[in-house]
Amino acid sequence: MEGKYVLALDQGTTSSRAIVFDRGGNIVSTAQKEFRQIYPQPGWVEHNPQEIWSTQAGVAAEAVVRAGLNGGSIHALGITNQRETTIVWDRDTGLPVYNAIVWQDRRTADFCAELKARGLEGAVRAKTGLPIDAYFSATKIRWILDNVAGARDRAKQGKLAFGTVDSWLIWNFTRHNTHATDVTNASRTMLFNIHTLDWDDELLAELDIPRSMMPQVKPSSGLYDATKTTVFASRIPIAGVAGDQHAALFGQMCTTPGMVKNTYGTGCFLVMNTGDKPIESRNNLVTTIAWQIDGKTTYALEGSIFIGGAVVQWLRDGLGIIKQAADIEALAASVPHSDGVFLVPAFAGLGAPHWNPHARGTLFGATRGTTAAHIARAALDSIAHQSFDVLKAMEADAGQPITELRVDGGAVENNLLMQFQADLLGVDVVRPRVTETTALGAAYLAGLATGYWDGLDEVRDQWQLDRRFTPALDSEEMARHRAGWQRAVSAAMMWAAA
């Protein structure tokens, strides 16, 4: 493999990125480009699929050139992507029939309420591991078929294709030759049976979605096709595909049941490897597929927190108490604690495990002595408290305690937050040297499928520690923090119910 590299495409909600990795799992070069966010109505969020494709193809070529390489130097290509975002296109022309409806979009919330009223929640959760929600792809597909002129008739004639963003990229990179997705992205559509590992005919019929629209479902690590575009002169095998949180779990090498990672981004996404059997959550978490490699399917539990790093953005943009997001650590560290102040950042409701869409952001315990530093400290604390809530729900569902938490995402550079997270949990919080774990996971999946790496043991050995945060505060003090947080969350939900 001398002189060979793996290219990972990380197609996110606000930008397309590409990273070249070497055999040691080190970053060789990166490229990134943002694209437009389209808001046609309140609660609606769309992307232009052609812009997704053009930006992703552009940064793929740019990252390779920046590394001083060409397509012939790329051994394999891996793709990871924003999940649930829905694209429907014409098989003959290759053109989308409507904009991509983004995972954040809430236009189908009323239809989801109708499905629940018809008593379908239990069946959907049993088959897919998911609650009925506008978050997932199924009702977005239905909306396009119902609202784009002629779309339903063309779909019934087999002329339309559906895909999440990974499928759209594969379709374009292969010049319309391959219509495929992987099991992780399929498991986020609300149409895929995570037990039979196939599209569910009953759910397709219930939503009146023709099976002919659905992509072929493949393993997360395996050969899909090879690139056939002018982006690269050489044909590069597309060999690894996974949704972003699944790829991050793999990139963190959480390959043993019970291992957990938390991605601290705008929100927080906690995922636990649960092994070869899906665990049905009794604590409002999502049951999903972690990945499929060598014919073996690994399952996971996932909990989503709506407001993580976004609370820091609010302090910067909304309150103006910091100039840059990075300033929060020094400000919060200027006081020993929040002095009894608790901030519940329910700006978009509360996610897992509370799932209260009506809750709103609330600040408790403020006095005349409360300063910007105390509010900053309470804001950081809130990220750790919300993560604690989800992790305890995971422990209850899995029937086992976590032994450490692996972390990634932009906020993990904040040592104060990471230390408080360890103190709260009473277990080590572990930060890797390479924090681009989402792209790294996609690279590993592609490289393993093509023999770039010899096996899981080789890539597992590449995981390197940057810093380990060990609990330092006594349990009684942490219990007081937890009691205050729980009071604050209860009060926020009572306010919402009033």
Side-chain angles (χ1 to χ4, degrees), residues 96-112:
V97 303
Y98 189 79
N99 274 341
I101 302 180
V102 181
W103 58 272
Q104 300 155 315
D105 190 282
R106 303 301 297 174
R107 77 186 65 185
T108 62
D110 289 345
F111 180 60
C112 288

Side-chain angles (χ1 to χ4, degrees), residues 271-283:
V271 187
M272 171 188 273
N273 181 330
T274 63
D276 59 3
K277 290 185 175 59
I279 295 176
E280 186 173 347
S281 177
R282 289 172 172 77
N283 294 280

Side-chain angles (χ1 to χ4, degrees), residues 331-342 365 369-381 385 416 420 423 473 477-478 480-481:
L331 179 61
S334 69
V335 291
H337 47 69
S338 69
D339 198 28
V341 175
F342 288 89
T370 298
T371 67
H374 294 118
I375 294 173
R377 188 72 178 243
L380 288 183
D381 290 354
H385 278 296
L416 185 68
F420 186 68
D423 291 339
L473 291 181
E477 186 170 352
M478 285 302 99
R480 285 194 295 273
H481 278 285

